[in-house]
Every structure is written in C-alpha cells, then in structure tokens.
Amino acid sequence: MKIEGYNASDHYDEMFTETGVIRQHYEEFSQGLKKIALKKMNHLQFSANQTQKAMGMTFNVYHDNQGLEKILHLDIIPRIIPNEEWLHLESGLKQRTYALNLFLQDIYNDRKILKDGIVPEELILGSKDYLKPCVGLTPPKGIWCHITGTDLVKNKDGEYYILEDNLRCPSGVSYMLESREIIKRAYPDIFNQKGIRPVSDYPAKLLRMLQHLSNKAKPVVGVLTPGIYNSAYYEHSYLALQMGVELVNGVDLIVEDKKVYMQTTKGLEQIDVLYRRIDDVFLDPRTFRPDSMLGVPGIFEAYKAGNVALANAPGTGVADDKAVYAYVPKIIKYYLGEDPILNNVPTYLCREEKDRKYVLDHIHELVVKETNAAGGYGMLIGPKASSEEHAKFKELIKANPTNYIAQPTLSLSTVPSLTEEGVQARHVDLRPYILYGNEIEVIPGALTRVALKKGSLVVNSSQGGGSKDTWVLYN
C-alpha cells in the first residue's frame, strides 16, 4: 500500500520504512485499509467525532479564554505495536515503577539515597512537592504510586525513551478505553482478524488494585473528584461508573474519630479507599492549604491513622519533578542494582553551572522545560522558537535556574493520520498506564497522543493535540 504524498523519510515512521516498505506488524491492517475509500474514511472520522460528543468525552482547557468544553480528537487510524516491542516496554516500565516506589519510601523515611549523595539532598528537601507532613509515613501495603502514566517517545533511531513520569493524578485512561470501543466499530472485520490485546478490563483491574489497599474483606471504595469544572471530570465519573463505586466531592465526606464517612440518604457510611483526583495540597485544609474548598478537613489524620487508603499516596509528586527525572537511572541502579531497561532522554539540569552554560549557549537547539509545569506549558522548543522567545527563556533560566531543565530536540516517530489533506504522517507519543497493587501490571494498550498540526511536536490535548487507539498485538 502506498499513500500519495506521504513523507516518512526524515524521521522514524511506525508504518513505513525509509524506502516506503510496510512494516510487518502493519501489513494486515494496510490490506484492510486498501478496501476503504478516502470518502468512507472521512465519514468514519465524522462518526467518531459525533460519537465522542454523544458520549460526553469532553474536557476543559483552562488556558482557553472561550472556556468551552472540547472533544479530544480521536484520529480514525490506529497505532499498532508488535508484541515483542510491547514486552520490552512492559519490563522497563515495571522496573521503573518499582524503583520509584522504593525511592519515595526512602526519601520520606531513612533518606539513605540522599545521605549517600546519589540524589542531591537540597533538590528533594527543597522541592515544593516534598510534603513534610508525609515524613515518617508508610502508605498501606507500602505502595506510594498506585496508578502511573509514563510518557514515552520513539526517536529516529527506533528506540523508545522515557519523557516523563506522572505519579500524581495521571489522566487520559478513559479516552484509551472509549476510543477502543469507537475504533472497534469503525473496523470490525480488521479488528476481529488481527489478534489485539484487550483493554476493556482496566476498570476491573483498577478496582481490584484499590481494594487490595484495604485489610477489609469488602472495602468501600470511592473516587474523589474536585467537581464538574475539573478538566478531567468526564474521566472521574466514567471510572466510578465502570467500577461501580461512588463518585464523591469533598462536601460529601466527613471525618469523625479519624475515620472517613460518606453522607448518604441512609446516613453515614464509612469509606475505606479513595482514588483521589485532587492535588495533594488541596486534600486537607487542616494539613495543607487552609483555603482549599475541595478537600476534606481531617482526612490526612485519618490517612495517618490507617483508617483510609489514598491512591495515589500524598507526596508522590516529588518523584515526577522534571529535575528528579534526570536522576532516575541512578535511582534504578541504587535500589535494584540494574541498568535501566528504558533510557531517559539526555537531560541538562540548569541548576548545575556547566549544564546551564551549555543550555544558554545552545538554546536554539534544545527543548527547555519548567520543572513543575504540565500540559505543554512552560516549555520552549528551541528550533521552532523565535529569537525573542530564546532571549526570554534565557532570562528566565538565569533568574531561577533550579526551575528549568533542557533536552535535545527529539525527532518523534510518526504514524499515518487522517487530515484535511488526506492520510499524512503526524508525530506521536505514548502514555501506558501502570497499576501497582498485589503486583505491578502494565495495561496492554496506551493513550497515544498525536500532534494534529503538520510538523508539530506538541501532542498535549490542552495545546491542540489529539489521540489514537493503540493496538498491542498478541504475536
């Protein structure tokens, strides 16, 4: 199958080799795609968009002055990952998750890794995400990071690189699940023939993991949401519904005798496990921010007393700081005695004088990131930025070097995507979801985010990116 005007020569394309030959894991799909006319493809895309709207698959963009809810555009052409490639990713993600959990337990207790000088003490203890109320705590079952969404990219060398770890309240899994249902209906014949690993059991696995955190035989589980104005509220309500548990706001909960109760029509009911989608500092106005209207007064004391489990555990944010990210290979080696299976992107820490000088001298070649920003904000893509933007970021780095890191500009891999000009190559990243309960499990699918604009490397939904269904093959 040859696609008219398709360019896959200056980067790694996941469907075509540099010479235009179809990669083996895409061959069956391309045969089925041949039978679908472009007009039919456009009709399928329109139907997918309408289905998303009907299902309420929308999100708010906080930085959008119009304040409108938008759908996360689902591109109709799936991304396909061969089984051998996925198994490599799976082993690397399990290794990384296990090591980061040991790191969190250590830095809030013995601090051996800091005393041994592997990670700078001031980087951790001086971080705004290092929560002093968590010092000395061990979460239920010793697990800190229960739900992780790790972002990866495939570079032009065909290798995957870890871009960042999301250990706080990673979002997007509902889009992974619902996108699968939409795409299955778009290509029923192709889907049934290919042998694609399912993702539909994620809610059941998530519930089992949450129940594992309690010592009760039948624990009561809930999803704690900030409310309907949160950008990911659709996901909160979707997951609560799929798990068959209560969706609660802070005002629905009350703490008595260091136990958390839901207010129901039949009176108070104790809740044992909360999948919280509220940021750490808003959880409890008595312990963290006193002006928080989202949290539950006294919930942190209930947590410390062991009467409620929280997923993810408060305090995990310090481990996915972009400056700490640079030390994860050393963290893996320190705790596990192993080399990382998946590599980091080479990272320059602007807090280090040598690195800072290199970044300032080569800013036009690098991607500069604010260490605590998310959603594609606080970032400069040097090769695509203006000289004015270069100058602005140089001043920001000089004023607060600890707040910035820099990385080489990667040539993200591309996947065929349906655009107004027909099927074109668009850059993608990958966010697999990892659950840590009785064991560490990587869900055999992922949220693939796609940059919808030609040549763009920014895939974040808040910056105009879209998504794809991700097919992981059995063999």
Side-chain angles (χ1 to χ4, degrees), residues 183-227:
I183 298 301
K184 275 167 68 175
R185 291 195 289 271
Y187 306 110
D189 295 336
I190 300 174
F191 190 89
N192 291 332
Q193 293 169 8
K194 281 225 42 98
I196 299 156
R197 296 177 66 179
V199 296
S200 58
D201 56 354
Y202 176 84
K205 291 178 177 180
L206 175 63
L207 180 59
R208 280 199 301 272
M209 182 276 291
L210 294 170
Q211 291 170 332
H212 172 74
L213 301 181
S214 173
N215 291 321
K216 291 185 178 179
K218 292 185 178 179
V220 177
V221 176
V223 176
L224 177 59
T225 176

Side-chain angles (χ1 to χ4, degrees), residues 162-186:
I162 300 282
L163 200 59
E164 64 181 32
D165 304 287
N166 296 288
L167 305 175
R168 293 174 234 209
C169 302
S171 62
V173 74
S174 61
Y175 297 100
M176 175 190 80
L177 298 171
E178 291 288 57
S179 296
R180 172 61 55 85
E181 296 306 309
I182 294 171
I183 298 301
K184 275 167 68 175
R185 291 195 289 271

Side-chain angles (χ1 to χ4, degrees), residues 359-364 380 389-399:
V359 171
L360 293 173
D361 290 344
H362 297 84
I363 198 164
H364 57 286
L380 174 87
E389 289 170 316
H390 292 157
K392 175 189 171 184
F393 264 77
K394 281 184 177 182
E395 293 306 313
L396 289 170
I397 291 167
K398 290 175 184 175

Side-chain angles (χ1 to χ4, degrees), residues 46 49 81 140 157 162 168 189 217 225 228 243 276 293 323 334 402 407 417 429 440 460:
F46 176 79
N49 295 345
I81 298 178
D157 57 6
I162 300 282
R168 293 174 234 209
D189 295 336
T225 176
I228 60 172
M243 288 191 289
R276 54 103 180 179
M293 303 293 288
Y334 182 80
T402 303
Q407 297 169 331
S417 306
D429 78 351
I440 301 174
N460 304 79

Side-chain angles (χ1 to χ4, degrees), residues 4 8 21 31 48 58 106 134 141 157 168-169 262 287 293 300 308 357 375 382 386 409 416 426 445 455 464:
E4 191 71 31
V21 176
Q31 293 299 320
T58 59
D106 186 11
C134 294
K141 308 293 174 75
D157 57 6
R168 293 174 234 209
C169 302
M262 289 188 294
T287 302
M293 303 293 288
F300 193 76
V308 68
K357 184 177 186 310
S386 65
T409 307
R426 291 292 184 266

Side-chain angles (χ1 to χ4, degrees), residues 87-129:
L87 292 176
H88 175 69
L89 287 175
E90 190 176 62
S91 60
L93 291 169
K94 286 181 177 181
Q95 179 197 54
R96 194 175 181 96
T97 302
Y98 186 52
L100 284 171
N101 193 75
L102 293 174
F103 172 67
L104 284 161
Q105 177 65 19
D106 186 11
I107 62 173
Y108 281 111
N109 289 275
D110 297 331
R111 300 180 183 169
K112 289 180 180 177
I113 197 168
L114 307 184
K115 293 171 184 174
D116 289 343
I118 306 300
V119 177
E121 186 173 284
E122 67 276 13
L123 179 64
I124 302 302
L125 303 186
S127 169
K128 70 178 183 62
D129 295 310

